[in-house]
Structure formats: C-alpha cells, structure tokens
Amino acid sequence: MAGRRDGLLTRDKGQSPRGSRIAVAIVIGVLFGCVFAVFYPHGLFSSDSLIQSRRIDKSDVQIGSSSCELPERINILKSDIQSLLEKNAELNKQVKGLTENLRLAEQGKDNAQKQFLVLGEKHKAGPFGTVKGLRTNPTVIPDESANPRLAKILEEVAIQKEIIVALANSNVKSMLEVWFTSIKNVGIPNYLVVALDDHIEEFCKSNDVPVYKRDPDKGIDSIAQTGGNHAVSGLKFRILREFLQLGYSVLLSDVDIVYLQNPFDYIYRDSDVESMTDGHNNMTAYGYNDVFDEPAMGWARYAHTMRIWVYNSGFFYIRPTLPSIELLDRVAGRLSREPKSWDQAVFNEELFYPSHPGYDGLHAAKRTMDYYLFMNSKVLFKTVRKDAKLKKLKPVIVHVNYHPDKLPRMKAVVEFYVNGKQDALERFPDGSQW
C-alpha cells in the first residue's frame, strides 16, 4: 500500500515514466552536443569548403563527393584558367598595338590621325570671305630627356622659349667674332654658339659668349671640326632637332651675318618655318607667274608656271612643331644618303615639293621674310647702296651669302650701318671676281 501510495504521490507531481525518459534524452543530447562542440568546432561539414567550392564553381554545380570526380573537375578548371590567360595575353597585345598607333600619330607618321588631333571638332563654314584655315601648327610637348645638358643651358639663355643659334668651328673664327660682336652691340641676350671643336669653345668662353659644346659623336665629329661652310651647314639640321624636341623656337643663323636690330621684334611666328629669301625684288622673293613659251604647241604655246627664289637655309626661324621636326629629319636623312647634295637645295625641295605619286609632300606652313629687313648681300650691293632712299633704311640683318669675300664685306657693313661711314660699301663690286 505504501508503494502504491508513493506511486500515486509521484503521479500527482507530474513525474510520469514517459517524462523521465524525455528528460534523460535531453540531458544525453546536451552532453553529446558538448562533446561534438569540443572535438568538431567547425561541424562535420566545413562551411569554408562549401564557400570555396561555390567560388570555384560559379554555376553552383555541386562537386561530387567521389574522389574520381575531383581530378576531372580540377582539369576543367585548369583548362578554363589557361583559356583566360590566353585571352589576357591577346588583350595585352591589342593594347600594345593601340599604344603604338597613338605614338605614331603623335610623331606625325599618320597624317590623317595627326590632322584629327590638331583640328579637333568639326566646324561649320562661315559667311563668304570670312573663312580662314589654320595657319599655325601646335608646338610639341617638350622632352628634356632628349638632351638634359642642353635643356639646362637653354633654360638659362633663352627668352620666351626663343634663341638664336649658330654652328661654328675654327675655320670661321674671324667671321664668328664679327657675328657675336654685332649681336652684343644690338643688345640681344638670347643667342648661343654650338661649338664644333674645343678651340671655338674656349674662344667663346674667353669672350663671354654663351656656348654649347656637343658630346662626342664619331659619326660627324670629323666633318664638324674640319669641314667648310657647306659641310658644317649640313650638320645643323641634325643638331637643331634637339632644340625643337626640347620645345624651343630657333632662329638659325650662319656666322656670315651682321645684326643691326633685334630680329625677334620682326618675327611673325604664324608659320612652321619663317625664312629669309635669296630673292632680290618683289617677284623673286614672294613669287610670280612665269610664262613658258613653246611655239611648237601652237594655240597652247604659252604655259604658266609659278616661280619663287629659294629660301636661304642660313637664316630661318623654325618653331617646335611636328612638320618642322619632320622637315629637319627629311633634310638630314637625304644629306646623309646624298653627300654631294647642297643642303639649301634639299631644304627647299622638301619644303616646297607637293605630294605626287610615290612622294608625300611636307605639310608645313611657310612665310617669306621682308627682303629689305632681312637683307641678302645681292640686295645690298646691287640695289640698296645705289639708291639714296634705300640707303637710309636700316635692315635687321645683312647676310653676306652672295659673295665669297665674306669677312671684308661684313666689316664694311658694320662701318656703313654702325659707324656711319657712307662710302664703306663703295669699293666692292656688285658680284664676285670669279
């Protein structure tokens, strides 16, 4: 009875045998959970493995648990990676090709792309008589890596990125002295002598003349040090290129020139090349319509031709533009291949010849200087000195290019225009004696 009573009392408290079993099961579950938590902190199936498998397999295709499927999947992934690498290499190749094309366009190799870069957006034509094309090409981006030492000198000597440059070796020492003395008398500060030998370098330094001695160049040093006027003249196109690459406009000057005014006050700066002329009047200097007569053609016997006397390659102003650098490259290239060619002839041919079958002409803007201001010696001795009105005109420079007795005529020019000696020019003939 007591047992039955205890059982009844137990039932009354809700402690049934079924409830005890549940409680025991819960306790056992908690214990097992703790054990698993200790020995398997990341669970039986790693979530990282699942995440990695999903990253590898973007299509969310489940990788089989079979060890046979895993190597096959790895091979597929390797194949995909190799394909991506090949595509990446192809893209890199295409990028390099585009970069090279852009570089060529910037250097002016592709004229169509160059014109697009220069012209920019298209414009509508304005009313009649108001339309004007481009006159001035943009300057290049300065590249000091072309010649850091020269860049430092030009930074100190040049004014507003402009400078007078002359090449000289010991053969022209006497004329060089008259040349830089006249420049000093005018008060021109921005000029530089490119010394082609050690003696000229020391001579310039002793006379407080800005000088630049080039680094040794086995290919041209022998010509530079011992060559005559024409040989040295041919070198200037190669040497000038560095000045233009550095972003400087150059007034190239031979040494058989007397300066009477500052030429930079008379430069227009609206063209790639602005040059003095070998012409001696309006027709020869600025161009004219020359009629060629061929009687055998009958009705069509008269053929009209356009003529102009050549630009003087011993005195010209050249801006740092792509066409200007291309001109220097063309002339220097031809002179190296045609050593017997005259640099002035080649200079004019490359500047004026138009495009035609088998030849691409140079697209450079040109301006002819006033032949009374930038005067050649033919104009002076054949015309000006014989005209009372013209004798009162003071030119900017006088270039003794038409006469071989250069030094005495240069000194006479100084006597006439600087010292006021009115008969200083009279003793010379119009032309040369031979």
Side-chain angles (χ1 to χ4, degrees), residues 389-416:
K389 292 183 179 179
L390 292 177
K391 286 178 69 173
K392 296 179 181 179
L393 173 68
K394 187 176 183 179
V396 177
I397 60 105
V398 174
H399 189 180
V400 187
N401 61 314
Y402 268 99
H403 300 87
D405 51 339
K406 296 180 181 297
L407 184 59
R409 291 188 187 244
M410 289 177 70
K411 292 180 177 179
V413 169
V414 174
E415 288 294 323
F416 179 78

Side-chain angles (χ1 to χ4, degrees), residues 64-73:
S65 59
S66 173
S67 60
C68 295
E69 294 179 1
L70 185 58
E72 180 181 354
R73 186 58 182 170

